[in-house]
Each structure stands twice: as structure tokens, then as C-alpha cells.
Amino acid sequence: PVHLIKHLAATIYHRMMVVAPHFDGIGFYHLKKKNKHLLVYFYSQKIRPKKDKAMIYPAPNQRKVEVAMLPEIPDPFPGDGNVGFPITLQNFTASSKGVPILIKAHLKDSKGNRVPIYKLSSKSSGLAGQLMRNLKMVCIAAKNQLKKRTKYTVYLKAKNQDGKIILDKEWQFKTR
């Protein structure tokens, strides 16, 4: 199960399954019939969060972060299989106006150099934009895999649709 949770956390759209602050419990069921496998993920949650909470991942000072994003369907970055580990802000709120709007974002390596990034939000085109809107999420990802054993600094500033700042934070994480 630890491997599965790490795999879910290394994606964008499925990440909420492991970072949601209002889950009561999670579980997995593996069904094997002949040479076919089915993995079922389930969770229980409160109807809505008691309090709005903006969750970032990777977490501040997190260690052993993977250097690349794992494959995701639908592919948020079509045609680019070399994307760095995704950095997300997800706004867990019952408000229909809680979709985050990215104001400013950057990623810097350990030498303070800016790393070129992709940005995904509700304004992104196609299914990726719809999923960002539905999940109340924004994402940045390096355009190339991150370097191993390197400390990165992230800065994200985002507001909700009412203009209220939901995150204005700089933090660091270190890759595996």
C-alpha cells in the first residue's frame, strides 16, 4: 500500500486522494482473476470540510521527492514525457468560488536559478483545465526532470474567485 500511496501522490489528478484534509480513512482492494488485475481505491470523508484548507504538495521541507511526474491519464502535458515532479495547491472548500487563480509562481534550484515551468489551472485548455477547475487546484511543474539530491524553492501566490488570497507562500523541498 505504501507504494500505491506514493504513486498517487506523484500524479496531479489523483493526488487529492492522499492529501485531502477531511478524509476519515482510505483503503485498497486488489482483485485478481486469472491474469487480470483490478485495484480499487476507496475512502470515507466528511460531507464537507469543517474549515477551508489550502493544501500544498510536496510539503514544506519534504525530503526524497521524486524527480519526475508519473504518467497520468489524461496527460496534462501532452507530448512531453520529461516533466519534473508536479507541485500543487488544492483548495479544499465547499464554496463554489473556491477555485484557485494563480497570481504568481516560480521554482528555483539550490543555486537560486529559476527553473522553467509549466502552469496548469482552471484557465488551461481542454480536459486538463476542466479537471483543475473541478479539483479546485493549480499546478506547476518543471519543464524537465528535477535534479537528484537537490533542494528546490517554490513560491506560489493564489486567490479564489472572490479575490481573497488563499496562499502566499515560499517553501523548500529536496529531491531523492
Side-chain angles (χ1 to χ4, degrees), residues 13-55:
Y13 310 132
H14 293 87
R15 180 173 287 170
M16 66 87 60
M17 295 179 186
V18 293
V19 301
H22 58 290
F23 283 2
D24 292 324
I26 62 172
F28 295 94
Y29 180 74
H30 179 231
L31 176 64
K32 181 180 176 184
K33 193 170 187 177
K34 296 186 181 179
N35 60 348
K36 295 182 180 182
H37 297 267
L38 176 66
L39 179 66
V40 179
Y41 172 89
F42 58 93
Y43 58 89
S44 63
Q45 66 179 0
K46 298 173 179 79
I47 299 299
R48 63 176 57 172
K50 287 182 181 177
K51 191 175 174 183
D52 292 356
K53 182 148 182 141
M55 299 290 292

Side-chain angles (χ1 to χ4, degrees), residues 8 11-24 26 41 43-57 88-101 131-138 158-160 164 166-167:
L8 289 170
T11 62
I12 298 172
Y13 310 132
H14 293 87
R15 180 173 287 170
M16 66 87 60
M17 295 179 186
V18 293
V19 301
H22 58 290
F23 283 2
D24 292 324
I26 62 172
Y41 172 89
Y43 58 89
S44 63
Q45 66 179 0
K46 298 173 179 79
I47 299 299
R48 63 176 57 172
K50 287 182 181 177
K51 191 175 174 183
D52 292 356
K53 182 148 182 141
M55 299 290 292
I56 53 175
Y57 194 85
T88 55
L89 158 65
Q90 190 165 9
N91 193 23
F92 290 92
T93 177
S95 170
S96 62
K97 296 194 177 198
V99 176
I101 299 167
L131 287 167
M132 293 290 105
R133 188 171 27 266
N134 293 345
L135 294 171
K136 297 179 182 170
M137 181 185 284
V138 293
K159 63 182 179 179
N160 67 14
K164 178 183 174 194
I166 56 174
L167 185 78

Side-chain angles (χ1 to χ4, degrees), residues 77-88:
F77 310 103
D80 191 344
N82 198 36
V83 176
F85 190 83
I87 300 158
T88 55

Side-chain angles (χ1 to χ4, degrees), residues 158-176:
K159 63 182 179 179
N160 67 14
Q161 293 161 296
D162 286 331
K164 178 183 174 194
I165 300 296
I166 56 174
L167 185 78
D168 186 357
K169 185 172 184 73
E170 182 175 88
W171 75 99
Q172 295 180 326
F173 66 88
K174 188 172 182 182
T175 53
R176 174 178 294 285

Side-chain angles (χ1 to χ4, degrees), residues 51-173:
K51 191 175 174 183
D52 292 356
K53 182 148 182 141
M55 299 290 292
I56 53 175
Y57 194 85
N61 302 313
Q62 184 170 334
R63 303 271 185 241
K64 298 182 180 178
V65 173
E66 298 297 334
V67 297
M69 185 180 93
L70 292 177
E72 179 86 279
I73 299 174
D75 187 348
F77 310 103
D80 191 344
N82 198 36
V83 176
F85 190 83
I87 300 158
T88 55
L89 158 65
Q90 190 165 9
N91 193 23
F92 290 92
T93 177
S95 170
S96 62
K97 296 194 177 198
V99 176
I101 299 167
L102 199 55
I103 298 170
K104 189 174 181 182
H106 64 251
L107 178 64
K108 292 181 180 178
D109 64 18
S110 59
K111 294 177 182 173
N113 298 316
R114 283 197 182 218
V115 176
I117 57 173
Y118 288 114
K119 296 176 184 177
L120 279 179
S121 72
S122 61
K123 297 180 189 261
S124 298
S125 62
L127 190 52
Q130 289 176 337
L131 287 167
M132 293 290 105
R133 188 171 27 266
N134 293 345
L135 294 171
K136 297 179 182 170
M137 181 185 284
V138 293
C139 172
I140 66 169
K143 291 187 176 184
N144 294 298
Q145 290 187 10
L146 301 175
K147 295 175 186 166
K148 292 181 180 181
R149 295 176 296 285
T150 301
K151 188 180 280 189
Y152 286 90
T153 301
V154 182
Y155 176 72
L156 290 180
K157 184 174 184 179
K159 63 182 179 179
N160 67 14
Q161 293 161 296
D162 286 331
K164 178 183 174 194
I165 300 296
I166 56 174
L167 185 78
D168 186 357
K169 185 172 184 73
E170 182 175 88
W171 75 99
Q172 295 180 326
F173 66 88

